[in-house]
Amino acid sequence: MIAQALSPISAERGASDSAISVLDDIGNTPLLDLTEFAHGCGVLDNVQLFAKAEWANPGGSVKARAAFKIVEEAEEDGRLGAGQILIDSSSGNTAIAYALVGAVRGFPVHLVMPKNVSRERKALVKAYGATLIESDPLEGSDGAIRMVRKIVAANPERYFYADQYNNDANWRAHYEGTGPEIWQQTQGRVSHFVAGLGTTGTFVGAGRFLREQNAAAQLVAVQPEDELSVIEGLKYLPTAITPGIYAPSLVDRHMTVSAETAWDVTQSLARAAGLFVGFSSGAAVAAAVQVAKELPRNTDGVVVTLLPDDGSKYVSLGLFD
């Protein structure tokens, strides 16, 4: 079900205001009502759970927001000029988003991704015409970061290094888009915002906006339980390269989720709610359900989380078999 509060946002673009390009459809994603699912997990009746369906963005993930904002700002201030190549590291979704934006805007894109990312992610990047550079799979996303830095250092004039982990346009995309959408779609009733930490842009940007609207809003950051728990799209920050855009002072509560729990909830969302989502979505919902469970009966909580992508890019991994 889609939250009733979605209607004002869905109606913003009139019939005569058709999109000029696919990039105009980034943002204004549906807010799904997962309250019935949450109650089935033991959440009290006085608490509601909602989730942003970010696969509705062009490119199929939340990363379209940040990628487009990064490109827009770089084109405006001249950092991305004629003849330059956009380059960055990514575990998959941002890579796909960059490739999509590059195809529309007409600039070449080179992407460094760990060799063990799913076949679907590699295929999508190539489908949009981007060049894929594979890094050591054992070094994960940090290895991809180190490789792209070496490539840029060897020929800095050739590239615009988008640097999603340290580019403020990343979190600003969510401060200007995701956060306001959540606020409007819940009619300002959001009490808890739960989001996974990867580049940390979603948590920082949306969380910062929501905190400005309501100082009592609780911001919950989610990451894997340890460095051995692999959840695509999330980082275990204690042993990873910490993104420069991360603002730990915003975090009211840190939560960790095991890979097994993330998978179990991902599977449950498909079978009980009809939502075929990626593993980071399962992790986010697992944490959000736990937050909702802990709210007392006299608290009318509105917990909102975010589903970064659907499950289509993970099928070849065999985990849905």
Side-chain angles (χ1 to χ4, degrees):
M1 293 183 292
I2 299 178
Q4 293 294 320
L6 176 62
S7 299
I9 278 188
S10 296
E12 281 185 356
R13 180 180 291 139
S16 62
D17 299 325
S18 59
I20 296 172
S21 82
V22 68
L23 301 180
D24 293 305
D25 284 327
I26 293 174
N28 292 330
T29 55
L31 185 70
L32 306 181
D33 190 343
L34 299 186
T35 302
E36 185 176 343
F37 177 84
H39 290 168
C41 296
V43 173
L44 295 176
D45 291 344
N46 56 301
V47 179
Q48 293 178 290
L49 175 62
F50 298 98
K52 291 281 277 178
E54 289 299 299
W55 62 82
N57 285 303
S61 82
V62 66
K63 297 300 186 179
R65 297 176 183 266
F68 187 37
K69 183 69 171 174
I70 287 170
V71 168
E72 272 195 317
E73 292 193 1
E75 288 179 333
E76 288 173 1
D77 63 22
R79 285 174 295 144
L80 177 56
Q84 281 188 302
I85 298 169
L86 181 148
I87 192 170
D88 207 350
S89 60
S90 168
S91 62
N93 279 329
T94 309
I96 294 165
Y98 283 140
L100 167 65
V101 176
V104 175
R105 297 292 257 240
F107 57 80
V109 176
H110 290 187
L111 299 158
V112 180
M113 302 169 67
K115 188 174 183 178
N116 59 341
V117 302
S118 69
R119 289 201 306 267
E120 293 89 347
R121 292 185 177 200
K122 295 178 183 179
L124 284 166
V125 164
K126 293 176 181 178
Y128 289 121
T131 298
L132 173 62
I133 304 167
E134 295 182 336
S135 60
D136 188 336
L138 298 179
E139 295 183 10
S141 60
D142 283 358
I145 292 172
R146 287 188 284 267
M147 176 177 279
V148 77
R149 287 175 178 173
K150 289 180 181 179
I151 293 171
V152 173
N155 198 349
E157 299 301 318
R158 187 185 187 200
Y159 298 104
F160 161 61
Y161 178 22
D163 196 9
Q164 62 169 327
Y165 294 96
N166 298 291
N167 192 323
D168 287 333
N170 184 337
W171 69 261
R172 280 199 294 267
H174 300 285
Y175 179 85
E176 297 172 8
T178 314
E181 289 170 31
I182 291 171
W183 185 254
Q184 182 178 351
Q185 289 170 317
T186 62
Q187 299 175 335
R189 296 184 303 117
V190 54
S191 61
H192 297 74
F193 176 58
V194 182
L197 298 181
T199 68
T200 74
T202 302
F203 176 84
V204 171
R208 186 167 279 153
F209 177 87
L210 294 173
R211 174 63 52 75
E212 290 178 2
Q213 308 312 305
N214 177 11
Q218 294 292 293
L219 307 180
V220 182
V222 183
Q223 57 188 307
E225 66 176 1
D226 56 44
E227 62 184 326
L228 298 179
S229 294
V230 179
I231 301 175
E232 288 283 346
L234 300 187
K235 275 178 170 282
Y236 180 63
L237 293 185
T239 59
I241 298 174
T242 302
I245 62 173
Y246 183 44
S249 61
L250 285 173
V251 182
D252 291 305
R253 179 179 180 182
H254 289 278
M255 294 187 71
T256 60
V257 176
S258 69
E260 292 76 15
T261 297
W263 162 239
D264 288 344
V265 175
T266 299
Q267 189 176 62
S268 295
L269 285 167
R271 296 179 177 180
L275 296 176
F276 182 51
V277 296
F279 303 123
S280 62
S281 297
V285 172
V289 166
Q290 184 60 39
V291 168
K293 278 184 176 180
E294 295 173 2
L295 296 180
R297 187 169 292 279
N298 61 351
T299 300
D300 294 327
V302 176
V303 180
V304 176
T305 190
L306 187 139
L307 309 176
D309 63 2
D310 67 11
S312 62
K313 303 186 212 56
Y314 307 91
V315 174
S316 66
L317 298 178
L319 296 174
F320 293 109
D321 294 345

